[in-house]
Amino acid sequence: MNILLFGPPGVGKGTQGVRLAKTYGLRHLAMGDVLRSAVRDGTPIGKKAKTFMDAGELVPDEVVVGLIEECIAGDRGKDFLLDGFPRNVAQAESLDSMLDRLQLKLDRIVFMDAPEEELLKRLTGRLICRACGFGFHRHYSPPQKSGICDHCGGELYQREDDREEVIADRLRVYQQQTRPLLAYYARQPGFAEIDASGAMDEVFERLKQVVSG
Ligand code: AMP
């Protein structure tokens, strides 16, 4: 089963995506993670992407479409969960033709939504481990020792684009470019919408229901 998760920044696509992928044995393809790793490695794509990411803007379509095709085609035998791609209608159209070419399809398309006030609280408190990538939250799921990862002892940091000034831009970009995906996908088979506000475990239960339903 191939799954697509989409929704605003901070809605929990990454956190829930990791859990869903584990539960259903899927490859978790998170475009933000792929880009951040290119930035860390200092590749030409990473250097190009960084300016856009730091400003809360979308990285150009030709860059992300190429990257996602490599990921999807890379291990065609294994089902996948897409998180963070597509982020506009042009990317969704590219994805459709890519999947046609590869003779693959999306079985579940889930739109996750939550009130903007909650998204802001989640994003501004987010902390990530530099070593293992595990996510914490200053208030909702704080680490046992401030600044240190519970799992590997790595250093926790705040994403450059989780600063308040950049978050406003990301939410604006979402409204203008990504939210129109709702109209694009709502008429496709396998589409579902869930309320992603509230506790992490409750949201996961709602997701599992629509995914297995
Ligand atoms: P995320 O981790 O999903 O919040 O993504 C972080 C940043 O990576 C975004 O704010 C964009 O700058 C960039 N990015 C991630 N996915 C895409 C995409 N599909 N298209 C363009 N830019 C993207």
Side-chain angles (χ1 to χ4, degrees):
M1 173 171 48
N2 296 319
I3 302 176
L4 166 65
L5 293 184
F6 74 105
V11 81
K13 299 181 295 291
T15 314
Q16 302 293 352
V18 168
R19 295 176 74 172
L20 275 182
K22 210 164 161 190
T23 306
Y24 294 95
L26 308 171
R27 293 184 286 152
H28 180 209
L29 308 181
M31 181 49 75
D33 290 346
V34 172
L35 289 169
R36 274 184 293 278
S37 121
V39 171
R40 252 194 322 272
D41 295 344
T43 67
I45 283 184
K47 284 185 185 140
K48 182 163 185 197
K50 188 174 188 310
T51 337
F52 296 96
M53 295 169 79
D54 286 351
E57 300 291 335
L58 294 187
V59 174
D61 290 349
E62 65 273 16
V63 174
V64 290
V65 168
L67 283 174
I68 207 69
E69 179 147 17
E70 275 174 35
C71 292
I72 293 178
D75 188 359
R76 227 186 300 178
K78 196 164 173 202
D79 288 352
F80 58 82
L81 179 146
L82 274 181
D83 138 22
F85 184 96
R87 254 176 156 98
N88 60 30
V89 171
Q91 291 181 14
E93 287 166 352
S94 300
L95 177 64
D96 278 348
S97 49
M98 183 189 309
L99 293 176
D100 273 353
R101 247 184 292 124
L102 297 168
Q103 294 183 305
L104 296 169
K105 69 179 176 68
L106 297 172
D107 302 290
R108 296 280 185 276
I109 301 168
V110 187
F111 175 58
M112 301 169 68
D113 205 8
E116 191 160 310
E117 201 184 295
E118 190 164 342
L119 300 175
L120 280 170
K121 274 195 211 144
R122 288 186 189 174
L123 289 166
T124 49
R126 203 148 77 158
L127 295 169
I128 297 160
C129 174
R130 249 186 231 293
C132 72
F134 196 87
F136 295 86
H137 192 281
R138 273 189 239 281
H139 309 294
Y140 305 136
S141 54
Q144 282 171 5
K145 255 202 220 160
S146 165
I148 309 273
C149 175
D150 291 354
H151 304 281
C152 75
E155 179 203 358
L156 302 183
Y157 76 104
Q158 181 179 43
R159 265 171 53 173
E160 189 65 21
D161 60 350
D162 279 347
R163 289 179 298 119
E164 240 169 295
E165 318 80 277
V166 185
I167 289 173
D169 288 326
R170 288 167 66 200
L171 290 170
R172 178 186 45 78
V173 166
Y174 166 74
Q175 287 298 342
Q176 288 172 350
Q177 304 196 45
T178 310
R179 201 174 161 91
L181 287 179
L182 189 53
Y184 184 88
Y185 282 124
R187 52 193 151 86
Q188 294 202 12
F191 174 82
E193 180 170 350
I194 68 147
D195 170 14
S197 56
M200 221 153 70
D201 288 348
E202 285 167 19
V203 176
F204 188 56
E205 287 310 312
R206 286 178 217 141
L207 266 172
K208 276 199 302 193
Q209 254 178 24
V210 300
V211 166
S212 19

